[in-house]
Amino acid sequence: MEQFQIASDIISLSDTIMEGLEHIKKRVFDGYFEETYYLLEDIIDAIASIHKATEPMLPLMGENRIEQYAEHLNHLIDEMTNNYQTQRIEKAKTDMQLVLIPAFKEWKNELERCLSDYVAS
């Protein structure tokens, strides 16, 4: 039962992160670049907490690409943080829309697929 609750919480949090990324994208395109940095930091913390929660389950999830997707996502988040620190607003817009959000979706979908298999077992 506990695994089911953890899996459910992880999926719920990943949905919230997705909403947050979409919100940041909209705000950045509307010209509120600096004002979205705190949200990006919250998203970074949330992704880290999902990673921490799923780590003990990974060996039990069978064949998956969660780790590869997570590494890729973390690399992109570092780049996005760098965009903020160096005020590269146009690059941040492009990266958010074409790189970071699609990479997050890929990780989220793999996570959800593996969690639902894990909970079902």
Side-chain angles (χ1 to χ4, degrees):
M1 194 63 203
E2 188 185 334
Q3 297 100 306
F4 181 77
Q5 188 57 53
I6 292 168
S8 168
D9 291 348
I10 289 169
I11 290 168
S12 173
L13 182 54
S14 72
D15 290 341
T16 304
I17 294 169
M18 188 65 240
E19 290 168 17
L21 286 170
E22 291 290 349
H23 180 71
I24 290 174
K25 182 181 87 176
K26 183 185 181 323
R27 298 295 289 164
V28 168
F29 274 87
D30 289 346
Y32 299 97
F33 182 70
E34 283 86 14
E35 294 85 340
T36 59
Y37 187 68
Y38 77 95
L39 277 173
L40 183 66
E41 289 181 316
D42 289 348
I43 284 170
I44 292 168
D45 291 344
I47 289 171
S49 71
I50 288 177
H51 183 73
K52 190 175 173 201
T54 55
E55 225 166 11
M57 296 183 226
L58 280 175
L60 310 169
M61 285 188 188
E63 192 68 30
N64 72 70
R65 304 200 50 197
I66 293 172
E67 282 293 310
Q68 293 100 307
Y69 290 155
E71 278 178 35
H72 181 61
L73 183 61
N74 287 328
H75 171 74
L76 296 174
I77 286 171
D78 290 344
E79 277 188 27
M80 185 57 71
T81 302
N82 195 9
N83 288 339
Y84 273 87
Q85 290 165 346
T86 56
Q87 295 289 303
R88 288 192 305 233
I89 299 169
E90 290 310 311
K91 185 171 180 352
K93 286 180 184 177
T94 306
D95 287 358
M96 180 65 74
Q97 187 167 7
L98 302 177
V99 185
L100 186 60
I101 290 177
F104 177 79
K105 284 179 181 170
E106 193 174 47
W107 176 71
K108 179 183 188 307
N109 291 340
E110 179 72 350
L111 202 54
E112 289 175 357
R113 180 187 71 79
C114 295
L115 285 171
S116 60
D117 291 351
Y118 175 73
V119 168
S121 67

